[in-house]
Amino acid sequence: MPILVPITLFGWIFVAILLFATMPPRRAVLVAYIAAWMFLPESAISLPGFPDLTKITATSFGAFAGIFLFDAKSLSALRLSWVDIPALVWCTASCISSFVNGYGAYDAFSSILHEAFVWGMPYLVGRLYFSSITGIRELAIGIFIGGLIYVPFCLVELRMSPQFHRWVYGFHPSSFAMTMRYGGYRPMVFMRHGLMCGMWMASASLIGVWLWHSHSLKKIRNIPVSVLALVQLGTTIACKSSGAIALLGVGL
């Protein structure tokens, strides 16, 4: 494993805590999760007794440490309700599967711990900071800006082939053969597959169009949102992920 992978994954825990020390909690969560999703390596480090350290679990570790240190009052004020039942079922269903298939208590506990870090913690953070109209709007703008940041990376890989992950971290996270589409390349940037990158860009594009259509956001850095949304749409289509483009079309 290239040395930069453990450095960035372990280091991101402390970066997330630092974000809470220097930003409002909601903004810290946005930057921590979106930046991790876009730029951390697609790799996993085994930790005895804990879920593998990935870009999501590293961010969850850091985010919860930051919440406990700098915003514990929000966590103590959270009250769960019946709308949280699907998330609870999602995080515990694998436990039932372990027992039914005879894998025992250890496997059941491990599966719950894994689901809690991968899905439960991000969900809980979302309930803390993005359960209001103001929070949802800020989340939407954060995802849209994240997609815009990815535009130049996608354009470079459309021309040069998917290389950023190899250039920075020293390896391709999946088979390079899957990057070829329709006589050209399908960008991956720092994600596991071109499909993942395509879905990220499609989601950001859909949000951008809605921000434009609803007049919820007029400009970013004095550039009209209409222009930015169209650039994002064009880049998403150029990513050549037909499934993502079809879902984007349905959403639009």
Side-chain angles (χ1 to χ4, degrees):
M1 177 183 293
I3 188 62
L4 193 58
V5 172
I7 289 174
T8 52
L9 290 179
F10 281 106
W12 194 252
I13 298 174
F14 300 100
V15 170
I17 296 172
L18 182 62
L19 290 173
F20 274 87
T22 57
M23 293 181 177
R26 183 184 292 155
R27 186 67 54 84
V29 166
L30 270 177
V31 174
Y33 273 100
I34 293 177
W37 188 248
M38 293 196 304
F39 294 111
L40 290 191
E42 283 289 348
S43 187
I45 299 174
S46 296
L47 299 177
F50 288 93
D52 291 349
L53 192 69
T54 64
K55 59 171 67 179
I56 291 300
T57 55
T59 309
S60 294
F61 278 125
F64 262 78
I67 291 169
F68 275 113
L69 291 173
F70 301 102
D71 195 30
K73 64 181 185 299
S74 293
L75 189 61
S76 62
L78 180 65
R79 296 294 180 267
L80 300 181
S81 69
W82 64 270
V83 299
D84 301 304
I85 292 176
L88 181 63
V89 170
W90 180 268
C91 291
T92 56
S94 57
C95 167
I96 299 171
S97 178
S98 294
F99 280 116
V100 168
N101 289 282
Y103 291 114
Y106 180 83
D107 186 82
F109 177 75
S110 297
S111 66
I112 289 178
L113 198 62
H114 176 268
E115 299 300 329
F117 276 94
V118 174
W119 297 102
M121 284 189 175
Y123 174 82
L124 189 57
V125 169
R127 283 280 278 110
L128 278 173
Y129 298 113
F130 305 109
S131 57
S132 66
I133 293 297
T134 301
I136 291 171
R137 180 181 182 275
E138 194 164 339
L139 175 62
I141 293 173
I143 293 174
F144 178 50
I145 291 174
L148 290 173
I149 292 171
Y150 245 37
V151 166
F153 292 91
C154 289
L155 295 178
V156 169
E157 290 200 340
L158 282 166
R159 180 67 181 87
M160 302 289 293
S161 80
Q163 296 292 338
F164 278 112
H165 204 287
R166 185 181 66 82
W167 287 338
V168 175
Y169 296 112
F171 67 98
H172 282 292
S174 59
S175 171
F176 189 79
M178 292 187 289
T179 66
M180 302 295 295
R181 278 297 182 277
Y182 308 122
Y185 296 108
R186 180 167 62 180
M188 293 166 45
V189 195
F190 293 99
M191 298 192 178
R192 183 170 298 279
H193 196 282
L195 293 172
M196 185 183 290
C197 182
M199 278 300 300
W200 166 251
M201 295 300 290
S203 301
S205 295
L206 181 60
I207 289 172
V209 170
W210 184 251
L211 290 170
W212 167 28
H213 176 74
S214 64
H215 306 289
S216 182
L217 185 66
K218 300 294 180 68
K219 294 182 178 181
I220 297 178
R221 300 281 184 174
N222 291 322
I223 303 174
V225 168
S226 57
V227 174
L228 297 173
L230 290 173
V231 169
Q232 179 106 301
L233 273 172
T235 306
T236 300
I237 294 170
C239 285
K240 305 186 189 75
S241 289
S242 54
I245 294 171
L247 289 172
L248 172 61
V250 172
L252 291 173

